[in-house]
Amino acid sequence: MPYRLGELFCGPGGIAWGATHADIGNPEFSIIHQWANDYDENTCNTYRHNICPENPNSVYHADIRNFNLENLAPIDALAFGFPCNDYSVVGEQRGMDGVYGPLYSYGVRVLDLYNPQWFLAENVGGLRNANDGTAFTRILEDLRNAGEHGYTVTPHLYKFEEYGVPQARHRIIIIGIRNDLDITYHVPSPAPYANIDNSCRTAIEVPPIPPNAFNNELTNQSPTVVRRLEHIQPGQNAFTADLPEDLRLNVRGAQISQIYKRLDPNRPAYTVTGSGGGGTHIYHWEEPRALTNRERARLQTFPDNYEFIGTKESVRKQIGMAVPCQGARIIFEAVLRSFAGIPYDYIEPNINE
């Protein structure tokens, strides 16, 4: 029987796409959507449209803090990419003391209620250092003790560019296997993906994106931004480029390296983000413009037929908050192989850079 997956903080469906497309050659070991929840209406509509169009009522648009977790359909697996705002290295890093820090506890609550066989929890690398490391320790402890039997947890800092994803995106992912099951999960080795061309040029240009593709609207760039970008070489940003004085940014204090940073076409992209003002939209290596949302979606390995619902800025946020589809698929396939007893290449878990 397929594993029925429930999701909290589901986002637009990067995790769900990876789960439902995970294939180890045995249909008895597969994953199907059961239900999902997110607080953002456009995000829920995107998820419904692409993941479960035949069952739209299985996606619950609700703030998790007001959402009744007790009457959901049974699940065999849980995924939750709990909000990372308070753990991100870009920001104040309030950790457990922030608005979003304690939201992981709703995932623990679902584990207590439904006792799924396994789970996947995802967050940013900054989670390790929040509250001087005590937040991460507490989260792992709560996950280990969840449910009727507890879970054996395997946290690892996945560097998705090492797995063929055309983007330098580093995320802590915790896999938990219920303790009463004689199953051991291993972190899949990136070695099989070492020879994949994961340059951003290849991701964006091969095959070419049709001009009328969904979510492919161009951003209107001001003449000043166009002039600034024309002085910035691939791989440079607004602070490392040799800019005329009238195009320099008058920014005191921290200089974020991604401000007006142009992609290096021969390398994976830098991290796609979901928010930020001028200068944070990811910039083409050749054309003096920001990437389109469809180009950004390719860097997140969403297929071109994945249609995001909402305004241009809403779609930008959805794409930036997602887990890369292909990265998620690789991890889910490792979980399925663990349960199927199929050996695979693996590495020792590591949460350090």
Side-chain angles (χ1 to χ4, degrees), residues 224 241 253 261 264 294 303:
T224 299
K261 184 172 182 178
D264 180 335
R294 179 51 55 192

Side-chain angles (χ1 to χ4, degrees), residues 40-54:
D40 182 77
E41 185 174 9
N42 287 334
T43 297
C44 289
N45 288 335
T46 294
Y47 190 106
R48 294 184 184 108
H49 180 67
N50 294 279
I51 301 299
C52 55
E54 75 295 338

Side-chain angles (χ1 to χ4, degrees), residues 82 87-88 93 123-130 133 135-136 139 172 174:
F82 52 105
Y87 303 120
S88 175
Q93 288 188 280
N123 209 276
V124 293
L127 174 64
R128 297 161 298 166
N129 305 316
F136 190 43
I139 289 170
I172 286 181
I174 306 163

Side-chain angles (χ1 to χ4, degrees), residues 11-312:
I15 285 177
W17 190 97
T20 55
H21 286 78
D23 183 2
I24 62 169
N26 184 340
E28 292 186 18
F29 293 91
S30 60
I31 305 169
I32 58 173
H33 161 79
Q34 180 76 310
W35 50 257
N37 156 261
D38 200 274
Y39 78 102
D40 182 77
E41 185 174 9
N42 287 334
T43 297
C44 289
N45 288 335
T46 294
Y47 190 106
R48 294 184 184 108
H49 180 67
N50 294 279
I51 301 299
C52 55
E54 75 295 338
N55 190 14
N57 292 333
S58 64
V59 181
Y60 300 93
H61 169 222
D63 186 319
I64 192 69
R65 293 165 291 191
N66 305 315
F67 183 45
N68 184 358
L69 296 170
E70 297 188 5
N71 298 311
L72 298 167
I75 55 172
D76 307 298
L78 172 69
F80 59 110
F82 52 105
C84 60
N85 309 54
D86 290 324
Y87 303 120
S88 175
V89 295
V90 179
E92 298 177 19
Q93 288 188 280
R94 290 164 293 188
M96 287 292 191
D97 302 322
V99 173
Y100 301 99
L103 293 184
Y104 81 93
S105 63
Y106 292 93
V108 175
R109 175 68 174 150
V110 170
L111 296 176
D112 288 339
L113 287 169
Y114 296 94
N115 292 286
Q117 296 182 46
W118 54 272
F119 70 79
L120 178 152
E122 178 264 345
N123 209 276
V124 293
L127 174 64
R128 297 161 298 166
N129 305 316
N131 302 103
D132 296 321
T134 60
F136 190 43
T137 300
R138 177 180 167 185
I139 289 170
L140 292 179
E141 189 66 17
D142 287 350
L143 291 172
R144 288 190 182 101
N145 294 326
E148 293 181 8
H149 305 281
Y151 291 84
T152 297
V153 300
T154 305
H156 180 69
L157 183 69
Y158 290 81
K159 299 180 179 181
F160 283 116
E161 68 273 23
E162 296 179 352
Y163 291 87
V165 173
Q167 178 194 169
R169 194 176 189 91
H170 301 174
R171 291 293 184 268
I172 286 181
I173 291 181
I174 306 163
I175 298 295
I177 307 290
R178 212 170 65 198
N179 282 336
D180 63 319
L181 304 173
D182 187 20
I183 305 294
T184 301
Y185 170 81
H186 296 289
V187 176
S189 170
Y193 311 95
N195 295 322
I196 291 178
D197 178 2
N198 64 342
S199 67
C200 57
R201 183 202 298 272
T202 297
I204 289 173
E205 292 188 345
V206 182
I209 298 174
N212 61 345
F214 212 74
N215 305 122
N216 201 38
E217 307 90 343
L218 289 168
T219 298
N220 292 322
Q221 311 285 186
S222 72
T224 299
V225 168
V226 170
R227 285 184 57 224
R228 182 177 291 122
L229 290 172
E230 287 173 342
H231 285 84
I232 298 174
Q233 299 300 310
Q236 291 184 338
N237 62 46
F239 305 106
T240 59
D242 183 16
L243 294 178
E245 189 169 348
D246 65 317
L247 296 176
R248 294 174 189 167
L249 299 179
N250 296 316
V251 178
R252 296 184 179 274
Q255 296 182 350
I256 301 174
S257 63
Q258 294 187 6
I259 296 294
Y260 292 109
K261 184 172 182 178
R262 301 192 78 163
L263 295 172
D264 180 335
N266 300 313
R267 299 176 57 84
Y270 54 90
T271 305
V272 175
T273 57
S275 60
T280 64
H281 290 245
I282 302 189
Y283 295 87
H284 198 276
W285 57 88
E286 186 175 11
E287 301 173 25
R289 62 171 179 85
L291 297 189
T292 68
N293 279 325
R294 179 51 55 192
E295 290 169 333
R296 293 158 59 84
R298 280 202 173 183
L299 298 178
Q300 286 278 55
T301 63
F302 281 97
D304 285 352
N305 62 359
Y306 205 96
E307 297 181 345
F308 296 86
I309 309 300
T311 65
K312 187 158 159 285

